Amino acid sequence: MTIAQAVQVVAEALAEAGIAEARREAEVLVAAALRVERAYLIAHAEQTLATEQLQRVRGWARRRAAREPLPYITHRVWFYGLELCVGRGALIPRPETELLVERFLSWARQQTFKETPILIDAGTGTGAIAIACLTRAPQWLGVGIDRSHAALRIAAHNRRQLGLEPRLLLMQGDWLRGIRPHSAHAILANPPYVLPDEWDSLAPEIRHYEPRGALLVPAEDPLQPYRTIALAALQVLCPPGLLAVETSPRLAPTLAEALQRWGYPNPHLEQDYSGHLRVVWATIP
Ligand SMILES: C[S@@+](CC[C@H](N)C(=O)[O-])C[C@H]1O[C@@H](n2cnc3c(N)ncnc32)[C@H](O)[C@@H]1O
C-alpha cells in the first residue's frame, strides 16, 4: 500500500466513525506512524509502506476510530508553538489555555523584580503552561505542582525535552499546600471545571479517555479548587503578584465576584478566541 492509499483508507475509516476532520487527522496519523512531517506525505505519495509501518497505521487507525484522542495515540501535541509529549495520565493541553500564557507574558513584561521571579503552575498536567511561560520569559523560574504522579512523569519528560530542567521544579502536591509565604510572583492554574451535568455532552474522546480527576468538579461546590488556590495565593504571592486562572464561561462571572470577596480587589475577565469568557485574573494589593 502507498502513502496516498494509506491516507485515503484511514480517512474513510475515520469519517465512518463520525470524526469531523477525517482527512486532516488521517494525514497527521499516517505522518506520525511513519515518523515524518505531514509535508513528506505529499512529496512521497507513491512510496510503499513497510510491513511494520502498515501495521502501525492500521492499529492507530482502529484506536482513533474507537474515538481515542489523536494526541494519546501519537503522543504528540502542539501548545504555544511547542511540541509536547502527552499520554493517558495527563489532560491534553487545549488551545484556549494559551490565553493564560498570553496573560502571564503581557503582565510579566510590565514588571521589574529585584530578585529572580518565580511562577507556579498549579495543576500542571503535561507542564504545558509552565513550560510555555518559561520558554518565553527567560528570566523566570517555575514550579509545576500536580497531585497526579502519572501527569508529573509526562511533565518531567517535556521539561527534559525542552531543556528546562535547571529552571522548572516539578512536585507532587495538593494545589499550593505547604508552599512558603511570599515565595512566588505569579500563580497560574487551569483546575478542573466541568460540572457533572455537563459530562454527558462532552465528546467521547474526553469522557472515555481523559482523566476525570483533571476535569470534574463537585456540583455542590464547583468553585472549590479556585477558592483553595486563591486563598492560598494571597499568602504565597509577593505583591503585586498575579493570579490567573482558566475557567468555563458558566463559572467565570461567579468566580470573578468570588475573587473580590476572597480579597482580590479588581478581577478581570477575558474571552477566548471563540468569544467565551475563559480567563479570570487579578493582582494582589
Ligand atoms: C484541567 S487539568 C490542567 C492540566 C494542565 N495545566 C493544562 O492546562 O493542560 C487539571 C490538573 O489539575 C490536577 N489536579 C486536580 N486536583 C488537584 C489538586 N488537588 N492538587 C494538585 N493538582 C490537582 C489534575 O491532576 C490535572 O493535571
Side-chain angles (χ1 to χ4, degrees):
M1 188 183 283
T2 65
I3 285 182
Q5 287 166 336
V7 170
Q8 184 59 27
V9 169
V10 174
E12 283 166 15
L14 300 192
E16 206 170 306
I19 289 158
E21 293 188 76
R23 175 84 201 179
R24 187 191 64 79
E25 289 215 16
E27 289 174 5
V28 174
L29 188 151
V30 173
L34 269 58
R35 305 201 166 95
V36 298
E37 296 306 319
R38 247 167 103 193
Y40 183 98
L41 305 182
I42 299 159
H44 301 84
E46 297 312 315
Q47 182 182 311
T48 304
L49 270 63
T51 311
E52 180 207 327
Q53 291 174 325
L54 189 55
Q55 277 170 351
R56 196 176 315 128
V57 167
R58 285 198 174 121
W60 286 11
R62 264 196 299 277
R63 287 168 64 185
R64 183 64 191 109
R67 306 303 290 259
E68 183 169 349
L70 198 50
Y72 283 162
I73 300 169
T74 63
H75 294 290
R76 290 163 74 168
V77 65
W78 285 92
F79 182 79
Y80 213 74
L82 301 168
E83 191 177 41
L84 300 177
C85 169
V86 68
R88 290 281 293 270
L91 187 99
I92 299 164
R94 307 294 206 267
E96 56 268 28
T97 304
E98 295 182 354
L99 206 58
L100 266 189
V101 179
E102 294 284 359
R103 171 45 47 207
F104 164 76
L105 291 174
S106 76
W107 175 82
R109 271 194 288 272
Q110 292 161 23
Q111 311 301 313
T112 46
F113 299 100
K114 290 198 197 88
E115 69 273 40
T116 302
I118 294 177
L119 69 87
I120 296 179
D121 175 8
T124 195
T126 55
I129 297 170
I131 287 171
C133 291
L134 293 180
T135 54
R136 301 298 169 103
Q139 74 281 26
W140 283 71
L141 298 179
V143 181
I145 301 168
D146 209 289
R147 69 175 172 192
S148 157
H149 282 295
L152 287 168
R153 269 198 301 277
I154 294 167
H157 177 87
N158 286 322
R159 174 179 65 174
R160 192 166 53 249
Q161 288 298 110
L162 287 147
L164 286 172
E165 276 173 317
R167 294 178 53 213
L168 176 60
L169 174 72
L170 293 171
M171 50 190 272
Q172 206 263 337
D174 181 15
W175 298 131
L176 302 173
R177 182 176 292 174
I179 303 292
R180 237 176 349 105
H182 306 295
S183 60
H185 304 81
I187 293 173
L188 310 171
N190 174 20
Y193 57 71
V194 176
L195 287 155
D197 67 3
E198 296 168 330
W199 187 253
D200 287 343
S201 65
L202 298 178
E205 282 84 347
I206 303 173
R207 275 185 287 123
H208 299 152
Y209 292 95
E210 294 205 80
R212 282 170 87 93
L215 290 161
L216 268 181
V217 277
E220 63 283 4
D221 190 10
L223 294 189
Q224 186 258 321
Y226 296 102
R227 189 169 53 248
T228 306
I229 294 166
L231 292 177
L234 288 173
Q235 310 302 318
V236 170
L237 284 170
C238 308
L242 171 75
L243 173 69
V245 295
E246 179 173 323
T247 191
S248 67
R250 193 168 159 194
L251 293 179
T254 330
L255 174 58
E257 275 174 37
L259 277 176
Q260 281 192 309
R261 280 201 308 282
W262 298 334
Y264 293 82
N266 198 10
H268 302 261
L269 286 157
E270 272 179 32
Q271 294 180 348
D272 62 22
Y273 312 117
S274 318
H276 299 124
L277 291 175
R278 186 62 65 189
V279 164
V280 184
W281 64 274
T283 52
I284 59 162

